[in-house]
Amino acid sequence: MTVQTIEVKLSESKGEKPLAEELQFGRVFTDHMFIADYCEEKGWTDHRVVPYEPLTLDPAAIVFHYGQTVFEGLKAYLSKEGKIRLFRPEQNMRRMNQSCERLCMPQIDEEFALEALKQLLIVDKDWIPKAEGTSLYIRPFMIATEPYLGVAPSTKYRFMIILSPVGSYYKEGIHPVKILVENEYVRAVDGGTGTAKTAGNYAASLKAQEVADQKGYSQVLWLDGVEKKYIEEVGSMNVFFKINGEVITPELNGSILEGITRKSIIQLLKHWNIPVIERKISMEELKEAHANGALEEAFGTGTAAVISPIGEFNWQDEKFVVNEGKTGELSKQLYDTLTGIQTGTVEDPFNWGVEVN
Amino acid sequence: MTVQTIEVKLSESKGEKPLAEELQFGRVFTDHMFIADYCEEKGWTDHRVVPYEPLTLDPAAIVFHYGQTVFEGLKAYLSKEGKIRLFRPEQNMRRMNQSCERLCMPQIDEEFALEALKQLLIVDKDWIPKAEGTSLYIRPFMIATEPYLGVAPSTKYRFMIILSPVGSYYKEGIHPVKILVENEYVRAVDGGTGTAKTAGNYAASLKAQEVADQKGYSQVLWLDGVEKKYIEEVGSMNVFFKINGEVITPELNGSILEGITRKSIIQLLKHWNIPVIERKISMEELKEAHANGALEEAFGTGTAAVISPIGEFNWQDEKFVVNEGKTGELSKQLYDTLTGIQTGTVEDPFNWGVEVN
């Protein structure tokens, strides 16, 4: 994506904005979207902000058949001063390029893509909800558009950014969830696509989530695909455990997605001089830590929830309650700090916040 | 999909049919397609044959983000008597439902879907190429269409069938290919989606194929994702080895796709009283069989090529030539028999052929 101008075509009508208390996740979209098109001969062209409208694609487009697609997720907040704030957006653009590399898709110009996002946000600024805990969810994504049924990388792509105002993940304040340890289905394996933010990983996860839902659990804890012994992720989040005062998160092993919230938490903990270590951790070890009373807290981390405390595990029909099913102190502190940095109400020692002018 | 009538809306113009010698794979599509739509409240509705045209989908449609999509592939042939012939199409519809089950997608009525396919084929019969080795490739597929960014099964789907006239896989007669044994990337693992015909498996395979292409190999031989020791598939085909007069194919282990050509070959071999066994087979065993002179033939099997003889393996930079790089006798016999049954020129002991009236 060479630096080019962005054409802006404004929508003639404005969509109705949902009330703060009616906001859900990812159901309503703003008035505009950003689009750029790629073909092998010309690279990225036709960068434009246009009214949000349906896509028109050939039924043979590669994305429908062979899933060549990657995406990102981040949020924009409105600060008390009315400024648009982003949280480490350059990290999302970088990871998008890493995902593209794995999926044989073209690279984007990360700086230009961020510029495009900022322009789109300025156009749809009115859509950023103001109530506590709400935000504008941002979904950059790229799809393979060439109509071709051969199994080969597409020669044509579309890069898009769409925006959706979302409610607070916790309607009644941060609270712990119950999770089911998954012993049958596997999310990803080393050598697969687990480190990329690509559609197939999420498609593969639906079945296990369905089973968990039926049993009354809100998330699945994924184990490694080789030995089904080591902990990988929780739902579509990374996972952390506080054991004997030390914070442990599974090391990046070739199948775990490197979350930007994960990375930020590791940096924050180090900044706070709290011991944090990335290493293999097995369900057996977790079970033992629980039995010894050493397991103090457990939580998932991701863009949607920021921090999602875990109050209970079910592993092979045995239940393990963590911290009496309550949100741990560290979980709360991390949640408050990260959301504070995101909205601009808390000191930002790493300059993670980016204001859009 | 309850049995309903199929509305037919014919195209006002007819597309230009490519000449037999210009036919490629999956680049040109016929004048019409079949569509049915699903929503949770009504089930499958609006079954229709309509002119082939672009799809219109919300940019937030789940298929673009979370890859909830499955597909099938089969072929229609024109017999010498001018009849449309299909090969075991009920098997494809059955497998499509198995894939849907894994991906949390709704079931189709298999018989009705086959009926819809037949109607579509009658409308576009002129598109079935007549030259030897050519056929009309059929692509049934289903995509999740609900606009929603939550990671959850869609409540809306579209089922479609599109058709593409394709050339002979072998322009100059059946010939062996060179393949690269893949030691880094993994196609699928038990507990993943390898047994389903879904987009993510194909997206995951592109990178390894790219590396193989660069090294001058036409396909990748996939090893298991756990030990990287046992043979799984070749490219997007199943794989067979003839060792000491016995035919061996990897057993269905939870990550291998159950090919309809694979299944048919096993039945044919049994019918011919040739020993055939489904079991684990490692690269070490293959290497040893090659060293002993016991490895007589190797071939991939799938809808596109039917039989694809393997003339050479490269495993960790060591090369193994099979049958002096020539097409083996059994490979040729299987190819001739299967393509003969498909086109109706050879006796069909299992009644695999289905004629469309």
Side-chain angles (χ1 to χ4, degrees):
Chain A
M1 205 187 286
T2 52
V3 178
Q4 299 184 31
T5 52
I6 297 172
E7 299 247 353
V8 178
K9 185 188 161 199
L10 293 182
S11 174
E12 283 171 19
S13 61
K14 293 214 168 189
E16 205 177 317
K17 294 168 189 69
L19 299 172
E21 59 273 23
E22 287 168 0
L23 281 172
Q24 295 178 310
F25 181 84
R27 291 240 179 242
V28 171
F29 299 89
T30 66
D31 292 326
H32 299 87
M33 59 185 179
F34 173 77
I35 304 184
D37 287 313
Y38 176 94
C39 70
E40 276 188 350
E41 309 82 52
K42 296 183 190 167
W44 289 105
T45 60
D46 300 327
H47 305 86
R48 58 213 190 262
V49 170
V50 292
Y52 188 91
E53 62 182 9
L55 295 182
T56 300
L57 280 178
D58 195 286
I62 287 177
V63 64
F64 295 132
H65 303 270
Y66 307 129
Q68 214 192 356
T69 169
V70 301
F71 71 90
E72 275 300 326
L74 66 162
K75 285 175 175 176
Y77 301 85
L78 212 56
S79 73
K80 282 193 178 143
E81 298 76 32
K83 292 263 173 66
I84 304 171
R85 284 182 67 87
L86 296 167
F87 181 75
R88 311 186 80 177
E90 74 291 347
Q91 296 282 331
N92 293 93
M93 299 309 176
R94 187 176 309 161
R95 187 172 61 184
M96 185 144 185
N97 268 342
Q98 288 162 356
S99 298
C100 284
E101 162 67 23
R102 178 65 183 85
L103 275 294
C104 302
M105 297 170 76
Q107 297 287 295
I108 55 166
D109 180 317
E110 295 170 21
E111 275 181 45
F112 186 69
L114 189 48
E115 202 42 52
L117 168 59
K118 289 178 180 175
Q119 289 213 25
L120 177 63
L121 286 172
I122 289 167
V123 170
D124 275 344
K125 185 178 176 184
D126 286 353
W127 278 91
I128 307 178
K130 291 173 190 69
E132 165 123 25
T134 63
S135 60
L136 188 68
Y137 182 79
I138 299 162
R139 171 56 58 94
F141 66 110
M142 194 193 296
I143 56 176
T145 55
E146 187 187 7
Y148 177 44
L149 297 184
V151 181
S154 180
T155 60
K156 294 194 174 83
Y157 297 89
R158 177 164 281 191
F159 172 64
M160 302 183 65
I161 306 175
I162 58 175
L163 307 173
S164 171
V166 298
S168 174
Y169 195 84
Y170 300 104
K171 300 270 177 225
E172 294 144 17
I174 182 170
H175 65 84
V177 296
K178 292 181 181 185
I179 64 174
L180 184 65
V181 182
E182 177 56 48
N183 294 299
E184 182 183 354
Y185 298 108
V186 168
R187 178 189 163 272
V189 72
D190 185 27
T193 56
T195 58
K197 219 162 163 67
T198 183
N201 300 334
Y202 297 81
S205 77
L206 296 174
K207 190 75 189 169
Q209 183 62 46
E210 191 178 77
V211 174
D213 282 345
Q214 283 159 3
K215 292 188 178 172
Y217 289 85
S218 58
Q219 296 278 351
V220 159
L221 189 74
W222 298 106
L223 301 184
D224 77 280
V226 174
E227 299 180 74
K228 291 183 184 157
K229 237 170 102 173
Y230 296 100
I231 296 165
E232 300 235 315
E233 299 190 15
V234 55
S236 49
M237 294 184 278
N238 294 116
V239 66
F240 286 75
F241 305 96
K242 184 163 172 249
I243 297 176
N244 261 339
E246 187 182 62
V247 182
I248 301 162
T249 189
E251 67 190 357
L252 302 175
N253 60 353
S255 54
I256 292 173
L257 187 82
E258 187 178 3
I260 293 157
T261 312
R262 174 188 185 278
K263 184 187 281 189
S264 305
I265 282 169
I266 293 170
Q267 282 180 261
L268 264 184
L269 291 171
K270 285 182 177 164
H271 183 65
W272 293 344
N273 290 315
I274 294 174
V276 53
I277 182 164
E278 300 172 66
R279 66 163 169 87
K280 275 188 171 191
I281 175 164
S282 70
M283 271 312 296
E284 274 302 338
E285 180 182 348
L286 198 67
K287 182 179 170 172
E288 211 168 298
H290 180 268
N292 297 340
L295 177 60
E296 300 163 22
E297 296 186 34
F299 53 92
T301 69
T303 295
V306 186
I307 300 286
S308 179
I310 297 167
E312 184 186 315
F313 294 92
N314 179 325
W315 185 37
Q316 295 167 338
D317 291 328
E318 220 178 319
K319 291 179 186 178
F320 306 91
V321 174
V322 185
N323 192 37
E324 299 172 350
K326 291 183 294 198
T327 298
E329 234 177 86
L330 182 65
S331 305
K332 184 75 172 62
Q333 191 185 351
L334 283 166
Y335 179 78
D336 290 342
T337 306
L338 276 171
T339 54
I341 292 174
Q342 286 165 346
T343 53
T345 56
V346 157
E347 200 216 329
D348 181 2
F350 302 101
N351 286 316
W352 285 337
V354 171
E355 284 200 351
V356 179
N357 293 309
Chain B
M1 207 186 285
T2 51
V3 178
Q4 300 185 29
T5 52
I6 297 172
E7 299 248 354
V8 178
K9 185 188 160 196
L10 293 182
S11 174
E12 283 171 17
S13 62
K14 292 213 168 193
E16 206 178 317
K17 294 169 189 67
L19 298 172
E21 59 272 24
E22 287 168 0
L23 281 173
Q24 295 178 311
F25 181 83
R27 292 240 179 244
V28 171
F29 299 89
T30 67
D31 292 325
H32 299 87
M33 60 185 179
F34 173 77
I35 303 184
D37 287 314
Y38 176 93
C39 68
E40 275 188 349
E41 308 82 55
K42 296 183 191 168
W44 289 105
T45 60
D46 299 329
H47 305 85
R48 58 215 192 260
V49 170
V50 293
Y52 188 91
E53 63 183 8
L55 294 183
T56 299
L57 280 179
D58 195 286
I62 288 176
V63 64
F64 295 132
H65 303 270
Y66 307 129
Q68 213 192 358
T69 169
V70 301
F71 71 90
E72 275 300 326
L74 66 162
K75 286 174 175 175
Y77 302 84
L78 213 57
S79 73
K80 283 194 176 139
E81 298 76 31
K83 292 263 172 67
I84 304 170
R85 284 182 67 88
L86 295 167
F87 180 75
R88 312 187 79 177
E90 74 291 348
Q91 297 282 331
N92 293 92
M93 299 308 176
R94 187 176 308 164
R95 187 172 60 184
M96 184 142 185
N97 268 342
Q98 288 163 354
S99 298
C100 284
E101 163 67 23
R102 178 64 183 85
L103 275 293
C104 302
M105 297 170 77
Q107 297 286 295
I108 55 166
D109 180 317
E110 296 170 20
E111 275 181 44
F112 186 71
L114 189 48
E115 203 41 53
L117 168 59
K118 288 177 180 175
Q119 289 214 25
L120 177 63
L121 286 171
I122 290 167
V123 170
D124 275 344
K125 185 177 175 185
D126 286 356
W127 278 91
I128 308 178
K130 293 173 188 68
E132 166 125 21
T134 64
S135 60
L136 189 67
Y137 183 80
I138 299 162
R139 170 59 56 95
F141 65 110
M142 193 193 296
I143 56 175
T145 54
E146 188 188 6
Y148 178 43
L149 296 185
V151 181
S154 180
T155 60
K156 294 194 175 82
Y157 297 88
R158 177 164 281 190
F159 172 65
M160 303 184 64
I161 306 175
I162 57 175
L163 307 172
S164 171
V166 298
S168 175
Y169 195 85
Y170 301 103
K171 301 269 177 227
E172 293 144 17
I174 182 171
H175 64 84
V177 296
K178 293 181 182 184
I179 65 175
L180 184 66
V181 183
E182 177 57 48
N183 294 299
E184 182 183 354
Y185 297 108
V186 168
R187 179 190 162 272
V189 71
D190 184 25
T193 55
T195 59
K197 222 165 159 65
T198 183
N201 300 335
Y202 297 81
S205 77
L206 296 173
K207 190 75 190 170
Q209 184 61 48
E210 190 178 77
V211 173
D213 282 346
Q214 283 160 3
K215 292 188 178 172
Y217 289 84
S218 58
Q219 296 280 351
V220 160
L221 189 73
W222 298 106
L223 302 184
D224 76 280
V226 174
E227 298 180 75
K228 290 183 184 158
K229 237 169 101 172
Y230 297 99
I231 295 165
E232 299 235 316
E233 299 190 14
V234 56
S236 47
M237 295 184 278
N238 294 116
V239 67
F240 288 74
F241 305 97
K242 186 164 172 247
I243 297 176
N244 262 339
E246 187 182 62
V247 181
I248 301 161
T249 190
E251 66 190 358
L252 301 175
N253 59 355
S255 55
I256 292 173
L257 186 83
E258 188 176 3
I260 293 157
T261 313
R262 174 188 184 276
K263 184 187 281 190
S264 305
I265 283 168
I266 293 170
Q267 282 179 261
L268 264 183
L269 291 171
K270 285 183 177 165
H271 184 66
W272 292 343
N273 289 317
I274 294 173
V276 54
I277 182 165
E278 300 172 66
R279 66 164 169 86
K280 275 188 170 192
I281 176 166
S282 70
M283 272 310 297
E284 273 303 339
E285 179 181 349
L286 198 69
K287 181 179 171 174
E288 211 168 296
H290 180 268
N292 298 340
L295 176 60
E296 299 162 24
E297 297 187 34
F299 53 92
T301 70
T303 295
V306 186
I307 301 286
S308 179
I310 297 167
E312 183 186 314
F313 294 91
N314 179 325
W315 185 38
Q316 296 168 335
D317 291 327
E318 220 177 322
K319 290 178 186 180
F320 305 93
V321 174
V322 185
N323 193 37
E324 299 172 350
K326 292 182 295 196
T327 297
E329 234 176 86
L330 182 64
S331 305
K332 185 77 173 63
Q333 193 186 348
L334 283 166
Y335 180 78
D336 290 343
T337 307
L338 276 171
T339 54
I341 292 173
Q342 287 165 345
T343 54
T345 57
V346 157
E347 199 216 330
D348 181 2
F350 302 101
N351 287 315
W352 286 336
V354 171
E355 285 199 350
V356 179
N357 293 308

